[in-house]
Amino acid sequence: RLKAKDGGSRVRKYKVSGHKLVKKYQVMEAGVKLLRATNSAQKLSKKESKRSRKESKDSAQGKDKAAEETDVEDMLGKLPKEKQEELAGAQVDVMWRISVLDIEDTLRHVCWRVC
């Protein structure tokens, strides 16, 4: 345990800074995980849409281009259940970590105001 003339406030300051840095890193890490899951889902969706377009091209040629374009809801609907769960879990993880960071910062700010 370090003792200083200022009552150890310098040590506490670095401890708080380190904790905040760790929390920010965890948010970034969860965001990268979400990005990877999203990219994986998009690649899987593109493969699936190419395969379905090829099948539909064989059955009925000359369909409208607008009908071929898929939006996000269609992409998510075509994904396997495990991929949908992976994306949902990654999104919740990012939101949770951001909420923790925000709540801790707010509490720290209020405590410094009160004390």
Side-chain angles (χ1 to χ4, degrees):
R1 194 161 143 135
L2 296 174
K3 292 198 176 202
K5 291 180 181 178
D6 62 353
S9 66
R10 287 185 188 154
V11 174
R12 273 183 271 149
K13 185 170 100 175
Y14 290 119
K15 187 175 180 181
V16 169
S17 296
H19 179 76
K20 286 169 54 176
L21 185 64
V22 167
K23 291 297 180 182
K24 287 178 183 178
Y25 176 78
Q26 288 175 346
V27 169
M28 185 183 68
E29 188 177 40
V32 169
K33 183 178 175 183
L34 175 62
L35 182 64
R36 286 182 180 159
T38 304
N39 286 341
S40 171
Q42 285 177 342
K43 287 178 184 177
L44 186 63
S45 177
K46 284 180 183 178
K47 286 180 185 178
E48 193 66 33
S49 66
K50 282 182 183 179
R51 187 171 54 90
S52 65
R53 272 191 259 165
K54 187 176 180 180
E55 290 173 359
S56 66
K57 194 175 188 180
D58 294 340
S59 63
Q61 294 180 354
K63 288 215 172 188
D64 188 23
K65 278 248 187 206
E68 291 180 10
E69 294 178 2
T70 59
D71 59 347
V72 174
E73 291 176 4
D74 289 340
M75 179 191 78
L76 291 175
K78 293 178 183 177
L79 291 176
K81 187 151 181 92
E82 64 239 7
K83 276 291 182 190
Q84 290 178 1
E85 290 173 358
E86 180 185 350
L87 275 172
Q91 289 173 343
V92 168
D93 190 35
V94 168
M95 289 185 288
W96 174 256
R97 291 181 189 272
I98 289 172
S99 296
V100 167
L101 186 66
D102 183 43
I103 290 169
E104 286 181 353
D105 282 344
T106 303
L107 284 174
R108 193 174 297 110
H109 179 74
V110 168
C111 288
W112 280 108
R113 290 276 183 173
V114 171
C115 295

